[in-house]
Amino acid sequence: MENIMKLEFANKSSNENLARLVAAAFVTPLDPTCEELSEIKTAISEAVTNAIIHGYEDSLGMVRLDGRIYGNIVEFTVSDKGCGIADVAKAMEPLYTGKPDHERSGLGFTIMESFMDKIEVKSTLGIGTVVKMKKVIKNDR
Amino acid sequence: METNLLSEKRTVVVKIQTDLDHHSASLIRKTVDAKIKGTNAINIIFDFSAVDFMDSSGIGMLMGRYKIANILGGKVIVFGVGKQVKRIIDMAGIDKIINICDSYDAALLLV
């Protein structure tokens, strides 16, 4: 099966729920298990939260969620046009947080990596960040 | 979110009724910290039985409350943890500092 979607929303924390729900609804036709569904929701939540918290600091901006389904594979891209990440490898280290005084656990990328099959992060300072994630829906109940 | 003070046990019980993400974590943080500041409470019991979803923001929130309770000589206890939440807690390894209980009664025994 093939399908595509795109959703664009303001960098408000209340939209984290919106992004999770849309991602879950989009993947539903592939009949994922409850576990696969909650893995996708968690990974999307982490990526969108990063875009909201780190992407734009305190200024207004838009976050975009693109979805693509081909065969039994779902691909999501979360992008922002915010400040970008200076050192992507460092940002992806477990427990690293760019905001130590904000009670962030530093586990966002670790969760995305372990819940999805593939993750790619491209970031340019002053231009923005794109996080692309892919998951094969095995549906092996 | 419902909060309930058990003053004889110096404990605040917090029932979370939403997804625990970055959005709700800031609200929970503010509410719980105000309760701790304004009362004699040193322990926090979180009721997670209505939480279907938590991401790493929930871990940050729990670790932050642990720091506060720990300074006061109290504890953070969580009960009613579902499958998805358990997975995130296990990945973070915070069960070493936060007590995970099966029931409210078991949680009460720790304070």
Side-chain angles (χ1 to χ4, degrees):
Chain A
M1 108 166 257
E2 282 193 36
N3 198 8
I4 53 167
M5 60 82 64
K6 92 174 172 193
L7 171 76
E8 212 168 1
F9 50 90
N11 60 338
K12 287 172 170 293
S13 62
S14 55
N15 285 330
E16 290 153 11
N17 187 39
L18 173 77
R20 285 198 297 275
L21 293 179
V22 168
F26 182 68
V27 76
T28 299
L30 292 183
D31 196 21
T33 59
C34 285
E35 199 178 326
E36 287 168 333
L37 204 55
S38 62
E39 285 169 344
I40 288 168
K41 283 171 75 176
T42 316
I44 292 293
S45 199
E46 299 296 349
V48 168
T49 302
N50 274 350
I52 289 174
I53 297 181
H54 303 286
Y56 296 101
E57 293 296 333
D58 292 328
S59 58
L60 273 175
M62 298 299 282
V63 178
R64 188 168 144 168
L65 172 68
D66 287 88
R68 185 176 158 224
I69 287 174
Y70 49 103
N72 63 338
I73 295 168
V74 65
E75 213 175 73
F76 286 107
T77 309
V78 175
S79 29
D80 67 64
K81 291 181 178 161
C83 58
I85 306 168
D87 186 343
V88 172
K90 183 145 192 78
M92 292 180 78
E93 279 173 16
L95 304 178
Y96 172 81
T97 172
K99 296 207 181 295
D101 49 342
H102 279 63
E103 291 191 356
R104 307 297 312 159
S105 64
L107 287 173
F109 278 121
T110 309
I111 288 176
M112 288 181 241
E113 279 175 324
S114 48
F115 284 7
M116 303 298 271
D117 293 320
K118 199 179 167 193
I119 159 169
E120 242 175 68
V121 183
K122 282 188 187 143
S123 192
T124 314
L125 280 179
I127 304 286
T129 302
V130 179
V131 177
K132 196 171 176 181
M133 300 177 278
K134 200 168 164 177
K135 189 172 180 70
V136 180
I137 303 300
K138 298 192 190 80
N139 181 12
D140 47 358
R141 283 187 175 82
Chain B
M1 180 184 8
E2 279 171 28
T3 58
N4 183 20
L5 175 71
L6 310 172
S7 50
E8 75 284 2
K9 285 190 173 284
R10 305 190 69 184
T11 299
V12 184
V13 183
V14 186
K15 184 172 173 69
I16 302 171
Q17 285 149 316
T18 54
D19 283 3
L20 214 179
D21 59 7
H22 156 244
H23 180 67
S24 62
S26 19
L27 183 70
I28 295 165
R29 181 177 299 138
K30 275 183 205 141
T31 311
V32 174
D33 291 0
K35 274 271 172 197
I36 294 277
K37 231 176 179 176
T39 66
N40 70 342
I42 56 168
N43 304 299
I44 309 160
I45 298 182
F46 284 105
D47 178 353
F48 269 47
S49 53
V51 180
D52 295 324
F53 176 88
M54 179 177 91
D55 66 16
S56 71
S57 301
I59 298 296
M61 188 281 290
L62 287 172
M63 281 166 56
R65 306 294 74 61
Y66 165 78
K67 277 185 198 158
I68 293 173
N70 193 42
I71 289 169
L72 298 170
K75 290 176 186 166
V76 174
I77 303 157
V78 175
F79 75 93
V81 171
K83 220 174 152 187
Q84 190 270 346
V85 175
K86 179 79 171 57
R87 228 175 132 190
I88 304 290
I89 287 178
D90 288 347
M91 275 184 76
I94 57 162
D95 50 332
K96 291 178 195 79
I97 55 170
I98 282 161
N99 299 276
I100 316 286
C101 289
D102 290 335
S103 66
Y104 179 55
D105 291 343
L108 275 185
L109 290 176
L110 295 177
V111 294

